Amino acid sequence: MEVLARQILSGVANGAIYASLALALVIIYRSTQLINFAQGELAMFSTYLAWWMIEAGVPYWAAFFATVAASFVLGVSIERLVIRPLHRAPVLAVVIVFIGLLLIFNSLAGWLFTSTIRAFPSPFPSEPLFGQGFVSSHELGATAVTLAMLAALYWFFRFTPLGLALRATALNPVSSRLVGIRVGRMLALAWGLAAAVGSVAGMMVAPIVYLEPNMMSGVLIYAFAGALLGGIEHPIGAVFGGFIIGVLENILGAYLVGTELKLTVALAVIVGVLAIRPSGLFGRTIVVRV
């Protein structure tokens, strides 16, 4: 029972990271109706920026918030300079651009910082918090940071005029323009928020998986599985889906498939959801009569 509890709590900690990256995927999907395959690489590149600042002597939390701000600017810049000129392009062209961004940021990180595996510092103590041995202090702290970020985003989308305008733009950009919402600015804001959220996920997972250009490849697959499981158009569902995937990954990896095959759990979830319930657990199937 103690081992099971440890697996569940560790899965919740991993799920918090998957949930945040799944939310970033949903934010982009709701604004473009496409999956941003470069989301993980953007998070990885932002984590390298944080590592570079910390190595230069910047305190961890100062580097953390500076990285979040820089990631926001990076996301807005990508939308303005790369994505916006493609708003009338075929879907396949945009997908190729996403894949191109993935390769560009992966290669750029290797060129600037080399492909050497590096240890990324954790801001939390090495000893378990509160005298318990079920979950490490970093896992507990990363969960707290992620939940605080998710709560802040919920408040932003639910109670601020800018958040409501962003939600309206995602649901119906044509009607949003008619009521005076600057849809272009909202799309840029969505990309900035997605990049900022992804940077938090990258900095929280880096002390666990170590820092290298391919560190987010597996994490992105888990996050994508969580987003699909909860509902690719449902932000809250994607968050819950991320937590579910984190727990399933740990439990099934420990008791059924083994550590080496844990990634197959996420792939099986992706295939199963697409085959059985494409709208996800929290999504709705919309039937249109023509």
Side-chain angles (χ1 to χ4, degrees), residues 118-148:
R118 306 176 187 274
F120 190 85
S122 171
F124 309 106
S126 56
E127 302 81 11
L129 297 176
F130 310 116
Q132 49 77 38
F134 293 103
V135 61
S136 69
S137 60
H138 177 78
E139 289 175 325
L140 199 60
T143 303
V145 169
T146 305
L147 289 177

Side-chain angles (χ1 to χ4, degrees), residues 99-161:
I99 297 175
L101 288 173
L102 183 156
L103 297 174
I104 288 171
F105 278 101
N106 186 280
S107 301
L108 189 60
W111 178 57
L112 292 176
F113 305 105
T114 75
S115 298
T116 304
I117 297 176
R118 306 176 187 274
F120 190 85
S122 171
F124 309 106
S126 56
E127 302 81 11
L129 297 176
F130 310 116
Q132 49 77 38
F134 293 103
V135 61
S136 69
S137 60
H138 177 78
E139 289 175 325
L140 199 60
T143 303
V145 169
T146 305
L147 289 177
M149 178 192 67
L150 294 175
L153 285 173
Y154 175 80
W155 176 84
F156 170 76
F157 282 113
R158 183 71 178 82
F159 298 108
T160 66

Side-chain angles (χ1 to χ4, degrees), residues 12 80 122 134 139 168 178 184-185 198 214 224 260 263 288:
V12 170
R80 291 282 184 174
S122 171
F134 293 103
E139 289 175 325
L178 293 177
R185 292 183 180 180
N214 299 311
F224 183 41
E260 298 82 3
L263 193 60
V288 179

Side-chain angles (χ1 to χ4, degrees), residues 110-273:
W111 178 57
L112 292 176
F113 305 105
T114 75
S115 298
T116 304
I117 297 176
R118 306 176 187 274
F120 190 85
S122 171
F124 309 106
S126 56
E127 302 81 11
L129 297 176
F130 310 116
Q132 49 77 38
F134 293 103
V135 61
S136 69
S137 60
H138 177 78
E139 289 175 325
L140 199 60
T143 303
V145 169
T146 305
L147 289 177
M149 178 192 67
L150 294 175
L153 285 173
Y154 175 80
W155 176 84
F156 170 76
F157 282 113
R158 183 71 178 82
F159 298 108
T160 66
L162 191 58
L164 293 174
L166 189 56
R167 290 169 58 193
T169 300
L171 290 173
N172 195 324
V174 175
S175 298
S176 298
R177 285 191 178 93
L178 293 177
V179 298
I181 296 176
R182 303 291 294 271
V183 172
R185 292 183 180 180
M186 293 301 104
L187 294 178
L189 176 61
W191 272 83
L193 284 176
V197 170
S199 70
V200 174
M203 288 184 282
M204 290 297 103
V205 79
I208 301 173
V209 301
Y210 295 102
L211 182 61
E212 52 98 11
N214 299 311
M215 58 174 275
M216 296 298 290
S217 300
V219 178
L220 182 64
I221 294 176
Y222 288 123
F224 183 41
L228 283 177
L229 180 62
I232 194 63
E233 292 197 8
H234 199 291
I236 296 177
V239 170
F240 278 101
F243 279 104
I244 293 172
I245 291 296
V247 175
L248 282 178
E249 170 214 355
N250 264 27
I251 293 178
L252 295 181
Y255 296 106
L256 187 61
V257 299
T259 305
E260 298 82 3
L261 297 176
K262 286 200 300 183
L263 193 60
T264 60
V265 175
L267 296 174
V269 169
I270 292 173
V271 173
V273 170

